[in-house]
Amino acid sequence: MSGAAVLSLRQVSRSFGPIEVLHGVDIALSPGRVHALIGENGAGKSTTMKIMAGYQPPSSGEVLLDGAVTTFATPGEAEARGISMIHQEFNLAEPLSVEQNIFLGRELKRGPFLDKRAMRAKTRELLERLECRVSPDRLVSTLSNSDKQMVEIAKALLRETRVLIMDEPTAVLTSAETAILLRQVRALRQAGTAVLFTSHKLNEVAEIADDLTIMRDGAVVWSGPAAEMDEHAMATAMVGREMSDLFPPKDGRPGEVALELRGLTVPGFSRDVSLTLRRGEILGIAGLIGSGRTETFEGLCGLRPATGEVRVNGQPVRISEPWQAQAMGLCYLTEDRKTRGLLLAKGMRENLTLQALRQFSRGLIDTRAEEAALDEAIREFDIRGSRAALVGNLSGGNQQKLLFAKTMLADPRILIIDEPTRGIDIGTKQQMYGFIRRLAAEGRAIVVISSEMQEVIGLADSILVMRHGRVTGELSGAEATEDAIVRLAMGVAPTTAGTAA
Amino acid sequence: MTDIARAPAARPRLGRIRMGVIGPILALVVLMAIGASMNENFLSWNNMTNVLARSAFIGIIAVGMTFVITAGGLDLSVGSMAAFVAGLMILVMNLALPSMGVGLPVVMLGVGVALLAGLVAGLLNGIFVTALRIEPFIVTLGSMGIYRSLVTWLADGGTLSLDFGLRTFYQPVYYGGIFGISWPIIVFAIVVIIGEIIMRGTAFGRHCAAVGSNEQVARYSSVRVGRVRLMTYAALGLLVGIAVVMYVPRLGSASSATGVLWELEAIAAVIIGGTFLKGGFGRVWGTVLGVLILSMIGNILNLTDFVSPYLNGAIQGAIIILAVVLQRESKAGH
């Protein structure tokens, strides 16, 4: 296989300090084939990709381009030789327009001036190829995540990419957007591009990948044609054990009412949201991205201006700041762990105790108590990674667990969890679902906001669906199906009898 | 980009911290060696205590500035504020003198006025920054102009001088001391120790770093972001008041030339000491090193005739720019 390979790694290892994170990885990308790289968070997928795209050198082993041993001094050098990487966090200049981004650093010129007409025409052409209907003049900051993804791909296309590497391209996309992306991937494959991508969505992998490499703990555990593995086998190989039921049993016994909203309105985002949440209950909030789910609950917790009636344990309350919400036992766990959840430039200990620092401080902070709390959190939430490392260096799943542990130190009685498993692997997901159900069993009232319908259905006792900032329906028990949620979320067809209530 | 910069794990970071720790200490040692080789009086007890006493004012202010910058803020108004507070203090003491007479009560009144005026001035800066959400650079640039103009107006374009008898009575606060260590040095030391404890050991210090590191994360973590910021400005104002209380007995006067470029020196000291200009990390002991480095440079210029002492401000300006460049290099290079 390596004979036909355009880009491959041979026995590549990579160490950070004394810790080796990749152990003798072999992987080969062939032109006109889509290669999926899967594994749990922290398995070494991102590092492997970065080495292939020239962002990091291997500590040992070889990178081969067209069969010849190569070293890329910079990502720019790799790019010049036809290898482009699209990062999980986009690498776009937000205040610039689509066109300016696509041509950033390689602007077309006519004499000393920019050739705007040619650049616009080329941008249009690229976007058309990608079925992306945004104007070249739009500012990137105003684009949705899927459109940003398309702009990234357009950028790569402009550079006449032979190898396109994508780190979790579909993590932030809706299913419709994912379908468009996968169509583009097929078109690239048709054109002879070698594509490498990671995903935690195994159905996508099964659908599109030709070749498959599965990693666990920094090493390749399986490699071969994707057709040889079904989703279940992939999950088992990734996790290294047989996967049992993903969701814990719904054995909650809802108690008295913990939270009541009447006509909660967050200007510009949601209108007239009412709900009742009981202790021991998990309430799922479904809806499309942009339906105002996050904003509604940020409004509830004092993170945005909001109006309406809020009762906590039957008492009417006013919340205009997050700390007031926390004082009432109400916490919001953000979907955005990197820019709202954790201080990436600080260590685990400082992050863990930030939200409940007062517990650790009698005048001076008791660092020994903090360390003990960190020990406890690492054990309870199964956080892996060096204690001395910066939180920004932890894998997504471990960051999410740390964020969870941090919020739980504040001991919320009512907890709102926004996208509890975004961008984390299936083994960690299962753990998170277990944690959440356990919290409910402890008598806490829980709201789970999620874009993954299976997650809402599998985890929640009942489900509210939002659309355009309003609650469009409530589903529970057998009526909670993907079909019913989609209908309410999209507002496409009249709802069936059972769901209107 | 950030993704790449973040990737390497713990070890390079430790290296950076160590370099950040050693850097300012090394610079100080080199400066002392240069000073000692150029003038045999440089390391004498008298010269050293003199350097320390003169740097105490800036030092006290720089400790407060460390908190403001760590929490992601900036205060350009401290020099003007010091001049205004000094002018106000002298004015009030002179006015109260006929009725109260020379003695402790009138000095206590002056001290009270200075501390209160400093606190209020700092609170005002803080309120504009937090409640009205104006960039700290703009707020304090504005208040810098306002206080500078107010002190000129109070002095009617000239100099406000403390009554001679009162000045003689008050002078020991600058010139006196215990065990040969003058009061400004002692007060500076106390402020540093308290500042270091607050920064490293308390929830407030941790909150300052969190707010400066990422305001959104702090807010989502139920930190009272506005209050933390406000308190850093208020504390800085109070420390300006304390610095003025130690400064007024030295010359016994205030004019529009008082405290000029103190903000430059204070901010430079903070940055040289390793506090991140963009906030998120600060250390008080580093600021002390920064203050000492700057005053030793000034002192060396005074003692030798290598470079004109008039160029002191230029050298300080160059050093602050260099320090920020080095800080960025060490952050980008890891």
Side-chain angles (χ1 to χ4, degrees):
Chain A
M1 196 152 113
S2 65
V6 47
L7 179 67
S8 54
L9 298 185
R10 192 188 288 158
Q11 283 300 307
V12 161
S13 298
R14 169 76 193 174
S15 305
F16 292 121
I19 306 150
E20 188 174 280
V21 297
L22 284 190
H23 324 289
V25 168
D26 286 302
I27 184 168
L29 309 185
S30 308
R33 286 180 81 83
V34 175
H35 197 128
L37 178 60
I38 62 174
E40 290 191 273
N41 288 108
K45 303 182 303 275
S46 289
T47 310
T48 304
M49 291 185 145
K50 282 177 187 164
I51 290 173
M52 296 184 94
Y55 285 87
Q56 287 169 7
S59 302
S60 67
E62 291 165 337
V63 182
L64 291 94
L65 185 64
D66 298 317
V69 176
T70 318
T71 50
F72 302 121
T74 61
E77 206 178 305
E79 212 176 88
R81 299 173 71 173
I83 303 165
S84 287
M85 175 162 177
I86 299 177
H87 294 269
Q88 212 171 334
E89 287 98 33
F90 302 121
N91 215 341
L92 296 172
E94 298 263 332
L96 298 186
S97 72
V98 170
E99 175 197 320
Q100 285 165 330
N101 264 286
I102 289 178
F103 282 92
L104 194 63
R106 46 180 59 208
E107 289 82 359
L108 302 180
K109 288 189 184 155
R110 210 166 43 190
F113 302 108
L114 293 175
D115 187 352
K116 288 195 180 158
R117 193 180 307 167
M119 289 196 284
R120 173 144 329 164
K122 186 73 184 160
T123 303
R124 281 237 165 79
E125 181 205 317
L126 289 171
L127 292 176
E128 233 155 70
R129 254 170 81 188
L130 295 172
E131 297 174 55
C132 177
R133 276 178 289 277
V134 304
S135 154
D137 294 325
R138 279 271 294 277
L139 296 185
V140 165
S141 55
T142 66
L143 297 183
S144 68
N145 278 326
S146 57
D147 286 336
K148 286 182 186 172
Q149 185 78 260
M150 293 304 167
V151 174
E152 283 275 18
I153 295 173
K155 247 171 88 176
L157 289 179
L158 181 73
R159 283 150 178 73
E160 280 162 25
T161 299
R162 298 166 61 210
V163 179
L164 181 63
I165 300 174
M166 296 188 281
D167 195 359
E168 283 195 50
T170 60
V172 294
L173 301 188
T174 63
S175 44
E177 293 164 344
T178 301
I180 297 178
L181 180 83
L182 294 186
R183 221 166 29 246
Q184 291 322 306
V185 170
R186 284 194 193 97
L188 287 169
R189 171 169 65 186
Q190 201 72 43
T193 311
V195 178
L196 174 68
F197 78 103
T198 57
S199 176
H200 288 307
K201 298 174 184 166
L202 300 180
N203 53 343
E204 284 170 21
V205 174
E207 188 185 332
I208 196 159
D210 303 306
D211 300 315
L212 178 64
T213 295
I214 303 176
M215 293 184 71
R216 190 168 69 228
D217 298 330
V220 173
V221 293
W222 194 88
S223 185
E228 288 177 14
M229 290 289 247
D230 64 5
E231 288 178 43
H232 185 80
M234 288 182 211
T236 306
M238 275 167 61
V239 182
R241 60 186 150 83
E242 206 39 47
M243 288 297 299
S244 51
D245 281 342
L246 191 54
F247 296 99
K250 295 180 187 179
D251 50 4
R253 283 180 301 280
E256 65 265 39
V257 173
L259 177 71
E260 256 185 296
L261 307 186
R262 292 289 165 265
L264 186 77
T265 296
V266 178
F269 295 103
S270 70
R271 264 178 303 165
D272 207 17
V273 173
S274 300
L275 62 84
T276 303
L277 178 67
R278 294 176 176 278
R279 297 182 52 179
E281 183 190 14
I282 299 178
L283 175 66
I285 308 289
L288 301 179
I289 291 170
S291 58
R293 297 169 305 175
T294 294
E295 291 81 0
T296 303
F297 288 93
E298 286 187 344
L300 166 65
C301 294
L303 288 153
R304 292 173 184 275
T307 58
E309 202 185 316
V310 178
R311 285 170 185 271
V312 173
N313 299 326
Q315 299 297 313
V317 295
R318 292 231 142 262
I319 300 170
S320 54
E321 290 288 339
W323 57 268
Q324 293 168 335
Q326 184 170 323
M328 293 163 197
L330 172 60
C331 282
Y332 168 78
L333 204 157
T334 177
E335 61 178 328
D336 186 352
R337 56 181 172 252
K338 283 181 195 286
T339 70
R340 292 184 173 159
L342 297 170
L343 297 171
L344 300 180
K346 303 268 175 205
M348 281 203 224
R349 178 168 57 91
E350 280 135 307
N351 270 287
L352 178 68
T353 58
L354 182 61
Q355 191 147 2
L357 203 50
R358 203 155 290 162
Q359 285 173 31
F360 295 91
S361 146
R362 266 163 229 85
L364 294 182
I365 296 172
D366 183 352
T367 41
R368 207 172 301 164
E370 278 189 297
E371 289 291 351
L374 181 56
D375 286 335
E376 172 82 23
I378 287 174
R379 202 169 42 243
E380 194 185 338
F381 291 91
D382 186 30
I383 303 170
R384 294 168 215 175
S386 157
R387 289 174 74 113
L390 299 183
V391 165
N393 290 334
L394 297 179
S395 70
N398 284 317
Q399 286 179 350
Q400 187 69 9
K401 289 177 186 171
L402 181 64
L403 180 59
F404 221 96
K406 167 191 163 181
T407 312
M408 290 322 297
L409 267 190
D411 194 22
R413 307 309 301 167
I414 306 167
L415 178 61
I416 292 138
I417 313 171
D418 201 348
E419 301 288 1
T421 63
R422 173 175 288 175
I424 66 179
D425 61 74
I426 192 154
T428 310
K429 269 185 187 175
Q430 191 185 25
Q431 283 180 317
M432 299 301 288
Y433 298 145
F435 295 144
I436 294 171
R437 183 46 80 183
R438 208 161 68 220
L439 295 177
E442 288 168 16
R444 296 174 211 269
I446 296 185
V447 173
V448 171
I449 305 171
S450 176
S451 299
E452 285 188 43
M453 280 184 284
Q454 288 180 358
E455 181 169 290
V456 189
I457 294 167
L459 195 58
D461 297 311
S462 59
I463 300 170
L464 289 186
V465 185
M466 287 185 70
R467 174 171 183 265
H468 291 338
R470 287 176 177 277
V471 174
T472 50
E474 181 167 0
L475 305 165
S476 59
E479 56 187 28
T481 60
E482 292 202 24
D483 186 55
I485 292 176
V486 168
R487 265 201 308 243
L488 288 169
M490 314 268 285
V492 279
T495 53
T496 52
T499 58
Chain B
M1 290 309 283
T2 51
D3 206 38
I4 308 143
R6 248 188 265 127
R11 213 174 62 164
R13 174 173 171 263
L14 288 178
R16 186 189 90 217
I17 295 279
R18 272 192 216 110
M19 214 27 239
V21 170
I22 292 169
I25 297 175
L26 209 67
L28 191 63
V29 171
V30 168
L31 272 176
M32 290 179 82
I34 292 174
S37 68
M38 283 181 162
N39 190 315
E40 69 271 23
N41 286 328
F42 181 77
L43 287 177
S44 69
W45 175 257
N46 272 340
N47 188 51
M48 281 293 126
T49 50
N50 185 31
V51 167
L52 273 174
R54 278 159 173 268
S55 53
F57 317 122
I58 300 288
I60 291 167
I61 294 171
V63 169
M65 189 69 81
T66 310
F67 283 88
V68 170
I69 292 180
T70 300
L74 189 69
D75 192 340
L76 298 173
S77 72
V78 288
S80 308
M81 193 193 287
F84 168 68
V85 172
L88 192 68
M89 178 185 182
I90 290 170
L91 205 66
V92 169
M93 285 165 87
N94 281 347
L95 281 176
L97 191 62
S99 54
M100 296 174 84
V102 173
L104 198 57
V106 77
V107 170
M108 291 317 290
L109 174 70
V111 168
V113 165
L115 298 185
L116 189 68
L119 184 65
V120 170
L123 274 172
L124 281 176
N125 276 340
I127 287 169
F128 278 106
V129 169
T130 55
L132 300 181
R133 293 171 195 276
I134 309 173
E135 280 291 310
F137 179 84
I138 296 300
V139 169
T140 60
L141 190 66
S143 54
M144 169 170 124
I146 292 169
Y147 294 130
R148 182 62 63 197
S149 159
L150 280 178
V151 70
T152 314
W153 175 68
L154 283 181
D156 205 11
T159 302
L160 284 164
S161 295
L162 193 57
D163 175 85
F164 185 78
L166 195 52
R167 195 190 307 181
T168 321
F169 179 77
Y170 190 9
Q171 249 171 8
V173 171
Y174 179 76
Y175 292 100
I178 39 174
F179 310 123
I181 301 168
S182 65
W183 290 114
I185 300 177
I186 294 167
V187 172
F188 180 29
I190 293 171
V191 166
V192 166
I193 290 167
I194 294 175
E196 178 73 21
I197 290 172
I198 291 177
M199 182 66 89
R200 281 168 82 106
T202 67
F204 178 70
R206 196 70 78 74
H207 283 165
C208 283
V211 168
S213 182
N214 186 332
E215 182 179 338
Q216 286 296 351
V217 172
R219 209 164 79 87
Y220 277 73
S221 305
S222 303
V223 174
R224 298 167 81 161
V225 173
R227 201 170 74 159
V228 169
R229 286 237 160 98
L230 182 64
M231 281 173 74
T232 62
Y233 287 99
L236 176 54
L238 185 66
L239 287 168
V240 168
I242 292 174
V244 165
V245 167
M246 310 312 297
Y247 175 79
V248 165
R250 180 173 160 217
L251 292 177
S253 66
S255 72
S256 60
T258 303
V260 168
L261 290 188
W262 279 14
E263 63 281 341
L264 170 68
E265 230 173 301
I267 294 169
V270 171
I271 303 306
I272 293 169
T275 296
F276 291 172
L277 180 59
K278 299 233 153 152
F281 173 78
R283 51 177 182 220
V284 170
W285 65 263
T287 298
V288 176
L289 291 182
V291 169
L292 293 180
I293 288 170
L294 289 178
S295 4
M296 289 217 175
I297 292 172
N299 185 242
I300 290 172
L301 296 185
N302 275 326
L303 291 178
T304 60
D305 26 79
F306 220 59
V307 183
S308 163
Y310 294 130
L311 285 173
N312 195 8
I315 291 178
Q316 283 174 4
I319 288 176
I320 186 173
I321 294 171
L322 189 71
V324 172
V325 171
L326 289 177
Q327 214 174 70
R328 196 181 51 200
E329 295 289 304
S330 68
K331 259 193 272 188
H334 79 114

